[in-house]
Amino acid sequence: MSKTIAIVNQKGGVGKTTTSMNLAASLATLEKKVLLVDADPQANASSGMGVDVNKIEHSIYNALLGQVDIRDIIYTTDIEGLDIVPSHINLVGAEIELLNFKNQERILKDLLHPIVQDYDYILIDCSPSLGLITVNALTAADSVIIPVQCEYFALEGISKLLNTIKIVKTRMNPRLEIEGFLLTMYDSRLRLANQIYEEVRRHFRELVFKTVIQRNVKLSEAPSHGVPAILYDADAAGSKAHLALAQEIIEKGENSKR
């Protein structure tokens, strides 16, 4: 059974794209069939997976506007079992163009419907906003991963995000659940990081993933080589942490079926 997960936080720089890329790669390494949908106009997940966004003819932008079939814009990656639907800077204008469409918040859900069963997991990397494209991702998703960086202002805006999730769940997608809060950029040597860690755990309890993503140079370097961290350095702490996260998500899914 397939599961669609949106990686969302309207705050920039919290590790959404890093999480999306490396979780997708880790799930594929654990022999799951995975599709990464880049729904961020910055297209960092696309380039980080080796797609030359300047040379592709069509992207998620064209699919959302009904110009191409989504099957025609699925690219393979260097990791077996991991495909990607790339983004493009054109996506910036899509929110305005989609306003003329009927059921504008359901377009991505309808796009993915024919291919959902081809994958074990579909991950949607969202832009740092709560605009129409992100609402589309939440409407298409079964659950949400919320990366929270272990830095000052970490919880700022979380209540607004949770309210948006609640509205989408009430009005458009009653099955939407929170998969978990993921603590990122953690440095155990910093007192502030430990305070944020404790605060998030106290606030959200069992909704916080056991896996914590620590600050890691290899995680930062890998995208510039067009590969996820697991291909750049499988022994790096960041690679191992995302593998542990993938395992945690798989086990959670298996336990929920029992």
Side-chain angles (χ1 to χ4, degrees):
M1 187 175 161
S2 180
K3 186 167 199 178
T4 302
I5 304 174
I7 292 95
V8 182
N9 191 329
Q10 80 272 27
K11 202 167 181 297
V14 300
K16 282 188 300 293
T17 298
T18 299
T19 300
S20 302
M21 286 174 51
N22 290 291
L23 176 57
S26 297
L27 286 166
T29 301
L30 294 171
E31 300 184 343
K32 300 297 180 184
K33 189 90 172 75
V34 184
L35 177 67
L36 175 57
V37 178
D38 190 351
D40 184 349
Q42 296 176 84
N44 290 335
S46 303
S47 56
M49 283 293 185
V51 177
D52 188 339
V53 293
N54 295 312
K55 290 185 177 176
I56 59 172
E57 281 187 45
H58 300 295
S59 69
I60 186 70
Y61 165 78
N62 304 96
L64 286 168
L65 294 183
Q67 297 169 352
V68 293
D69 188 309
I70 195 163
R71 294 182 187 89
D72 296 333
I73 54 166
I74 294 174
Y75 290 74
T76 57
T77 70
D78 290 337
I79 293 183
E80 188 178 346
L82 173 56
D83 296 337
I84 184 168
V85 170
S87 186
H88 191 274
I89 190 64
N90 288 348
L91 192 61
V92 168
E95 304 227 339
I96 302 298
E97 294 172 79
L98 291 176
L99 290 176
N100 298 319
F101 284 60
K102 191 178 177 184
N103 295 325
Q104 57 202 226
E105 71 286 338
R106 293 177 54 91
I107 295 169
L108 183 57
K109 178 184 171 69
D110 293 341
L111 266 185
L112 293 174
H113 181 71
I115 59 169
V116 162
Q117 295 309 321
D118 296 342
Y119 296 93
D120 298 306
Y121 291 93
I122 296 177
L123 303 185
I124 308 172
D125 181 30
C126 297
S127 65
S129 79
L130 292 177
L132 184 55
I133 303 296
T134 299
V135 170
N136 262 268
L138 293 173
T139 304
D142 299 303
S143 64
V144 183
I145 290 175
I146 302 170
V148 180
Q149 86 279 35
C150 293
E151 293 178 359
Y152 198 58
F153 295 137
L155 296 177
E156 192 180 63
I158 291 285
S159 59
K160 188 175 181 183
L161 172 58
L162 293 176
N163 192 48
T164 301
I165 292 170
K166 185 179 177 183
I167 290 168
V168 171
K169 183 178 172 73
T170 303
R171 297 182 186 173
M172 290 164 284
N173 185 5
R175 74 181 187 286
L176 185 64
E177 301 292 343
I178 292 175
E179 188 76 24
F181 289 83
L182 176 67
L183 289 155
T184 63
M185 305 179 195
Y186 177 66
D187 186 339
S188 60
R189 298 168 299 177
L190 300 178
R191 190 171 70 172
L192 177 62
N194 288 304
Q195 287 174 344
I196 299 294
Y197 175 89
E198 294 299 333
E199 193 175 348
V200 172
R201 288 238 180 248
R202 190 171 65 251
H203 260 78
F204 302 111
R205 301 177 187 274
E206 71 280 353
L207 284 176
V208 183
F209 285 109
K210 294 185 182 75
T211 305
V212 175
I213 310 300
Q214 303 201 4
R215 282 200 175 277
N216 182 243
V217 174
K218 301 292 185 183
L219 272 183
S220 305
E221 291 176 351
S224 66
H225 295 267
V227 292
I230 203 161
L231 284 187
Y232 184 61
D233 185 349
D235 291 325
S239 303
K240 291 178 178 176
H242 284 95
L243 264 177
L245 175 64
Q247 194 67 59
E248 194 174 340
I249 289 169
I250 291 168
E251 287 173 6
K252 183 179 176 182
E254 288 172 351
N255 289 337
S256 68
K257 291 175 192 172
R258 288 173 190 163

